[in-house]
Amino acid sequence: MSFFAQKNQFLSKFNSRDLSARQLSSLIISSISLFLGTTVAVAQVRTAHKPGFTLQLLHTSDQEAGVPALKDAPNFSAVLNALKNQDVNRDGKPDYPNTLILSSGDAYIPSPFLFASDTAFGGQGRGDILILNALGFGAIAFGNHEFDLGTGLVADLIRPKEDYPGTKFPYLSTNLDFSTDKDLANLVTADGQEASKIPNKIARNTIITLNGEKIAVVGATTPTLRTISSPGGVTVLPKEFNDRDAADIAALAAEIQTSVDTLLTKNPEINKVILLAHMQQIAIEQKLAGLLKGVDIIVAGGSNTLLADKTDRLRVGDKSARTYPILKKAADGNPIAVVNTDGNYRYVGRLVVNFDANGVIIPKSIDSKISGAYATDTKGVTAVGGKPDPKIVAITEALKKVIIAQDGHIFGKTNVFLNGWRGDVRTQETNLGNLTAEANLAIAKGYDHKTVISIKNGGGIRDNIGIYTFPAGSTRSQDVIKLPPQANPVAGKKEKEISQLDITNALRFNNGLTLVTLSATELLAVIEHSVAAIAPGATPGSFPQVAGLAFSFDSDLPAGKRVKSLAIKDGKGKIIDVVVKNGQLVGDSNRIFRTVTLNFLATGGDGYPFPKRERVDLTSKDVDKSKRTGLATFAADGSEQDALAEYLAANFNNFKQIPFAQGDVPPGKDTRIQNLKLRKDVVLSD
C-alpha cells in the first residue's frame, strides 16, 4: 500500500473515532515507516516495548478474613511467596522477574477477625490491612464489603496514623466518584500515577512498572453497590443497573473504557492493561470482556468462582466451575483472559502469560501446568516448598488470642452441622438459615406479639457453625463429613457447643432487626424479589431464609412471576393463611402481616421492596453496652447475633440438655422454600 493510500486509510479511521490508543499508535508508526521508505517492523520502532514480555500475575479476591484465615492467611503468604520467588533452574534468579500481585476487592469484611483488630492493633480491620501490606499487593479494587461499615472505616483503614501505616497500595475504582463523600474525598489522587507513589490513596487507575515495562491497572466496582453495602455519599455509576439488561452492561463498559482510553492516551508507551473488576457474578466480567478495547486481562471478583484446570490440585471437596483462564475475544478483536479463584485466602491465582510486541496476550503461551489455582491448605504449602511469612504469622497470632477468648462463651448446643455454606444459603433453605430466621422471629415477638413472619437474606450468613471435612485421602465432594462444632480445650469449650465466636463468625454483619407491616400484595412482591435473581451458576445474596411461612417457586418462569404457592404457617407447620395459590394472590390483598426483617433489607438492601411506613428498628449502634439485657451482652439487644445467642440459650442449652437437632437436607426435601425444579409443591399441605 502506498503512503498516500495508508494516509487516507488512517484519516478515515481516525475520523471514525473508533480507535483504541494502541491501534492509533500502530497506525501512526506504520504511516511514518512507509513515508520514510523503511521496512522497520512496528515492534522494532516501539523500542519501549520488549518483544516476548512475560508477566506472572499472582491474584486473588474476596479475602474476607474470618476465623479460618487465622491459618489460611499465613499459608497464603507461603504459597504466594514461593511462586513469586520460584527458581527452578537454581540460578539465583526468579523464574518470572516480572511479577505483579493484585486483588479485585473485598479485602476485608465485618467479622471476628476484623473486630479483633480493635483490641490487638488499636482499630477495626487494621490486622487485615497489615496482612495485605505484608503480602505486597500492588493495587486493590474496591469491592462491596469494604463499605459494609461505612466510608468512615474505609478512610480510617486507608489513611496512615502514628502507629499504623494505612494501605501501602492504592485502592482503585473507575466507576465510583468519591468526591461526593465527606470521608473519602480528600483521599482521592490523580489518575495514571505510579502505584508505588500513591499509597494511602484512591484513584480510578494506576501504573505499575516492572523492570522498565509499564502496565496499566484499572479498577471497577459493581454498580449494585448501593443496594448491597453502605457507600455513604459515594456516587455509583451507572446510577441505574440491571445485570440482565445489555444496555446497562454497555453503560458500565463505557465507564471503564473511558478510564482505559484516557490513561492510554496520556501514556502512549503503555500497551498492557489489567482490569480489576469486582462485579459479584463472573458472567458480568465475561460480558465486559467482549465490550472492552485495549484490555488484556480481567481479574474478576465477588463471585468466589473457582477457575482451575486438570493439573491443579484443589482443596478436598472443591470443584472447578470452569477452566482457568476463561479466554474471550475483546471488542478490538484481541484475546482477553478472565481469571478468578475462590476467596477467603483459600487459593492463590497464578497467570503466567507472554505478550507480543504490540502488548497483546498470546494464549498459547499459557501453560496449564504453571498457570491456575494453587491451594493454600497444608498440602498446597508443602507442594510449593513455602514457608509462612513471619510478619503475617505474628499478626494472626495477635488476633487469635483475642478471638479464642470469645470461644469460651457458650450459648447453646447442636448435635448437627449448621449449614452456612455460601453456595447453599444463597440458593436453598438451610438449617442454619432456618435457625437464625426462627431466632429473629422469637425476639421480634417479644417486642410485638403479632409478628408472624421472619425474612432475611442468605447473603448475611457468612460461614457454617460446625466442621466441614473429608476422610483422609478423599477428593470426592460426596465424601464430605459435616460435624457439629469442635471442642476448644484452651477456651474451655466442649464438642457440639455453640460459642460467641461461632455466632459472630457466622453472622459477621450483625444486622439490626426491624419490624415492618406488609400487605398480602407487598408480601408477595418481597418473596418474588427474593428469588428473582436465581439463575444457573448464580449465588445471589438476596436469596431468602425464612420462618413463619413456606413458599414454592419456579425459576424457569420470568422474574416477578415465579412464586406458585405461599402460606403463613405456625411453629408446628399448620397453615394460618394461604396467600398465593396456583401463582395467584388469594383473599383480601390488603390484609396485613407483621414481619421482622433486617434493617439492611428494610432500607432497600439487596434491592428488597419493603415499604417505608410503620417501621420499628429494634436496635441501634448507639446502644449503651451497660444497659444490655439477657445472657448475651456481647452484641446489642435486637441485633442478629444477640437474637441467635438468646434463642439458643433459651431453647438449646447445656443445662436442659436439649441440643438443636434439625439436620440439613438436600434442596429436593426443603419445605419452607420449595424449588419446583427439584421437588413437588406441597406448600399448601399442613
Side-chain angles (χ1 to χ4, degrees):
M1 183 184 293
S2 70
F3 167 73
F4 293 103
Q6 180 93 359
K7 170 190 172 187
N8 290 334
Q9 183 191 62
F10 168 74
L11 290 175
S12 174
K13 290 186 177 181
F14 180 79
N15 288 333
S16 74
R17 297 182 182 181
D18 192 30
L19 291 171
S20 69
R22 75 171 63 169
Q23 290 171 319
L24 177 60
S25 177
S26 179
L27 276 171
I28 292 173
I29 292 170
S30 297
S31 300
I32 292 173
S33 297
L34 281 170
F35 178 75
L36 295 175
T38 68
T39 58
V40 179
V42 170
Q44 291 175 312
V45 173
R46 298 174 68 188
T47 55
H49 300 300
K50 303 172 185 177
F53 181 85
T54 300
L55 172 69
Q56 176 176 232
L57 172 62
L58 302 177
H59 64 88
T60 190
S61 65
D62 308 285
Q63 293 94 304
E64 301 177 11
V67 173
L70 293 172
K71 179 178 180 181
D72 287 337
N75 281 359
F76 185 97
S77 72
V79 174
L80 182 137
N81 289 330
L83 297 179
K84 181 176 68 174
N85 299 316
Q86 179 181 294
D87 179 13
V88 173
N89 60 10
R90 299 184 180 180
D91 63 355
K93 298 178 182 179
D95 294 339
Y96 305 104
N98 303 311
T99 294
L100 197 53
I101 303 173
L102 300 171
S103 167
S104 54
D106 278 4
Y108 57 86
I109 192 173
S111 71
F113 198 97
L114 179 138
F115 296 128
S117 283
D118 209 359
T119 300
F121 300 108
Q124 293 181 359
R126 290 186 179 184
D128 294 83
I129 300 301
L130 292 173
I131 288 172
L132 300 176
N133 288 344
L135 289 169
F137 282 96
I140 295 181
F142 275 110
N144 52 291
H145 287 309
E146 270 85 356
F147 300 95
D148 284 341
L149 296 177
T151 56
L153 179 62
V154 178
D156 184 66
L157 290 176
I158 292 176
R159 188 181 293 117
K161 297 175 180 62
E162 183 178 350
D163 58 344
Y164 168 69
T167 58
K168 292 186 177 180
F169 52 85
Y171 253 112
L172 307 176
S173 185
T174 197
N175 63 311
L176 300 183
D177 181 358
F178 298 94
S179 67
T180 53
D181 183 81
K182 61 181 178 60
D183 294 313
L184 300 177
N186 63 357
L187 294 177
V188 176
T189 190
D191 299 330
Q193 298 183 74
E194 280 282 346
S196 60
K197 296 181 179 179
I198 53 171
N200 314 116
K201 295 294 183 182
I202 297 171
R204 293 182 177 86
N205 53 59
T206 189
I207 296 170
I208 298 178
T209 302
L210 300 175
N211 297 311
E213 191 74 19
K214 292 185 176 181
I215 299 174
V217 182
V218 180
T221 306
T222 173
T224 64
L225 181 64
R226 192 158 296 284
T227 64
I228 61 175
S229 194
S230 304
V234 175
T235 300
V236 184
L237 301 171
K239 292 185 177 180
E240 298 294 330
F241 185 79
N242 182 337
D243 61 35
R244 295 183 292 276
D245 190 324
D248 288 356
I249 298 290
L252 173 60
E255 292 287 344
I256 297 169
Q257 193 67 59
T258 297
S259 182
V260 172
D261 290 347
T262 301
L263 182 59
L264 294 181
T265 299
K266 292 181 178 179
N267 301 273
E269 73 279 14
I270 296 177
N271 66 359
K272 299 173 183 65
V273 180
I274 298 174
L275 172 65
L276 305 177
H278 195 94
M279 294 298 133
Q280 293 294 99
Q281 300 294 340
I282 200 168
I284 299 177
E285 280 100 350
Q286 292 182 73
K287 291 176 183 178
L288 289 174
L291 298 174
L292 296 172
K293 299 177 181 180
V295 177
D296 302 290
I297 301 168
I298 298 178
V299 182
S303 66
N304 290 75
T305 303
L306 176 56
L307 302 182
D309 56 59
K310 293 180 180 179
T311 67
D312 297 335
R313 188 200 66 80
L314 304 183
R315 286 174 174 246
V316 175
D318 283 357
K319 289 183 178 180
S320 171
R322 287 192 61 176
T323 300
Y324 182 107
I326 298 172
L327 292 169
K328 310 287 284 187
K329 181 182 287 187
D332 54 15
N334 292 324
I336 183 171
V338 179
V339 297
N340 198 25
T341 63
D342 194 8
N344 306 108
Y345 290 105
R346 290 166 51 82
Y347 289 90
V348 175
R350 185 194 204 189
L351 179 67
V352 176
V353 61
N354 292 344
F355 289 79
D356 68 17
N358 293 317
V360 178
I361 65 169
I362 303 173
K364 290 184 179 180
S365 70
I366 302 172
D367 186 343
S368 63
K369 294 179 181 178
I370 297 172
S371 296
Y374 285 74
T376 60
D377 55 4
T378 301
K379 288 185 178 179
V381 173
T382 301
V384 297
K387 294 183 179 180
D389 184 330
K391 292 181 181 178
I392 294 176
V393 171
I395 295 167
T396 54
E397 284 298 318
L399 296 172
K400 185 177 181 180
K401 291 179 181 178
V402 178
I403 291 171
I404 282 181
Q406 301 174 15
D407 213 19
H409 298 163
I410 307 302
F411 290 94
K413 188 174 184 179
T414 176
N415 279 345
V416 296
F417 172 86
L418 300 178
N419 185 6
W421 200 253
R422 176 190 173 95
D424 290 345
V425 294
R426 293 168 177 247
T427 57
Q428 66 188 63
E429 173 188 340
T430 77
N431 63 346
L432 181 55
N434 288 347
L435 176 61
T436 59
E438 290 284 359
N440 293 351
L441 181 58
I443 295 299
K445 285 180 177 292
Y447 288 88
D448 184 344
H449 70 278
K450 295 181 180 179
T451 307
V452 292
I453 297 171
S454 173
I455 301 171
K456 60 179 291 182
N457 62 325
I461 299 175
R462 306 306 300 188
D463 213 335
N464 308 305
I465 295 180
I467 302 302
Y468 190 90
T469 187
F470 292 81
S474 171
T475 59
R476 303 189 309 164
S477 59
Q478 58 265 41
D479 292 339
V480 64
I481 300 173
K482 299 177 181 180
L483 301 172
Q486 64 182 340
N488 184 348
V490 176
K493 177 185 178 183
K494 298 177 182 178
E495 185 181 19
K496 299 183 180 182
E497 291 184 334
I498 302 174
S499 69
Q500 175 185 329
L501 180 58
D502 291 322
I503 294 167
T504 58
N505 188 54
L507 302 177
R508 297 175 193 174
F509 298 140
N510 196 29
N511 289 288
L513 303 181
T514 295
L515 291 175
V516 295
T517 299
L518 300 177
S519 68
T521 299
E522 291 165 340
L523 173 60
L524 176 56
V526 165
I527 298 302
E528 283 284 7
H529 175 78
S530 74
V531 294
I534 284 293
T539 53
S542 54
F543 187 85
Q545 298 294 328
V546 302
L549 62 79
F551 70 93
S552 64
F553 72 98
D554 185 346
S555 59
D556 286 336
L557 297 176
K561 297 182 179 180
R562 292 180 167 180
V563 175
K564 301 297 291 183
S565 303
L566 193 160
I568 310 302
K569 296 191 174 186
D570 65 17
K572 296 182 179 180
K574 181 179 180 181
I575 294 176
I576 299 172
D577 193 331
V578 175
V579 182
V580 176
K581 183 177 183 180
N582 296 325
Q584 300 296 317
L585 192 68
V586 297
D588 182 0
S589 62
N590 293 316
R591 68 189 188 280
I592 59 174
F593 305 97
R594 197 62 163 158
T595 303
V596 62
T597 189
L598 311 183
N599 56 18
F600 169 65
L601 302 184
T603 54
D606 272 345
Y608 267 85
F610 281 104
K612 306 302 179 184
R613 66 178 187 280
E614 299 182 59
R615 170 180 167 178
V616 179
D617 290 333
L618 303 187
T619 189
S620 75
K621 295 180 180 180
D622 298 323
V623 173
D624 184 346
K625 292 183 179 181
S626 66
K627 296 182 180 179
R628 292 177 181 173
T629 61
L631 295 175
T633 58
F634 66 89
D637 288 358
S639 65
E640 267 209 291
Q641 291 177 5
D642 180 69
L644 180 55
E646 297 291 2
Y647 186 71
L648 289 170
N651 297 280
F652 307 107
N653 58 56
N654 285 332
F655 179 74
K656 293 182 179 180
Q657 293 297 310
I658 303 175
F660 181 81
Q662 179 192 338
D664 200 51
V665 297
K669 294 185 178 180
D670 286 341
T671 56
R672 297 185 188 185
I673 304 175
Q674 299 180 17
N675 185 339
L676 298 184
K677 293 184 70 173
L678 301 172
R679 62 157 302 144
K680 180 182 178 181
D681 188 345
V682 294
V683 168
L684 302 185
S685 300
D686 281 340

